[in-house]
Amino acid sequence: MPAVGVESRIWEALHTRLAALTLSPPLLIATPNVTFPATGESLPSIYLRAHHMRATPDDVGISKWTERQGILQVDVCYSPPNGLGAATEIADKIAAHFPRGLTLGTILVRIDWTPAIASPVDDTPHTKLRVSIRYRAFTPERGEEHR
């Protein structure tokens, strides 16, 4: 089902771009509210986990526009023997896939900042290396498209 609402269209644009990332070997992507791993499968030793963190919408002055910002956070989840080096290479590829200046989707989701790669966080049985991709979209009051 195609996304209709503003927030769902922003998520669709970000997720579609992430899913188009070509990695070798390909990695599974865990997303919110989707069973992962699939029933009967075990947790992979390395995979991606996507989080969509929205900020409070901000009305732009007296105009009819709303600024919507947020972060697509992609965790590179890895466990031995994969190591930090391999995870960092994947994080670098994710960051490069969302370059500053990139525009996505039908409501013009813009990547206006260089993605940030954080220090690793232990989350046994995996370690997570987080890539934060900040975005911005301006939408009319009723969330209609603009170009």
Side-chain angles (χ1 to χ4, degrees):
M1 177 171 82
V4 176
V6 172
E7 293 296 341
S8 59
R9 288 165 57 201
I10 290 171
W11 166 250
E12 181 179 71
L14 295 166
H15 182 260
T16 298
R17 177 72 180 183
L18 179 60
L21 175 64
T22 303
L23 296 170
S24 182
L27 297 179
L28 296 174
I29 303 171
T31 57
N33 298 320
V34 176
T35 302
F36 186 86
T39 305
E41 294 183 9
S42 59
L43 194 61
S45 65
I46 188 163
Y47 65 96
L48 305 179
R49 180 171 294 280
H51 307 273
H52 185 196
M53 299 180 287
R54 301 174 183 95
T56 301
D58 188 21
D59 297 326
V60 180
I62 61 170
S63 74
K64 301 255 183 199
W65 293 93
T66 301
E67 179 183 24
R68 298 172 188 277
Q69 291 190 43
I71 298 170
L72 172 65
Q73 181 176 289
V74 182
D75 297 341
V76 180
C77 304
Y78 64 97
S79 58
N82 298 295
L84 181 59
T88 303
E89 284 295 321
I90 294 166
D92 284 337
K93 289 176 183 175
I94 294 167
H97 194 62
F98 287 89
R100 181 177 179 201
L102 178 67
T103 302
L104 306 167
T106 59
I107 57 171
L108 300 181
V109 177
R110 294 187 338 228
I111 307 302
D112 283 342
W113 301 271
T114 301
I117 301 172
S119 298
V121 175
D122 182 29
D123 190 19
T124 304
H126 288 89
T127 299
K128 293 180 180 177
L129 189 60
R130 294 184 164 136
V131 181
S132 296
I133 302 154
R134 293 177 57 196
Y135 70 85
R136 175 188 333 214
F138 288 93
T139 58
E141 186 175 298
R142 289 183 293 283
E144 300 165 4
E145 285 186 49
H146 85 278
R147 292 198 174 247

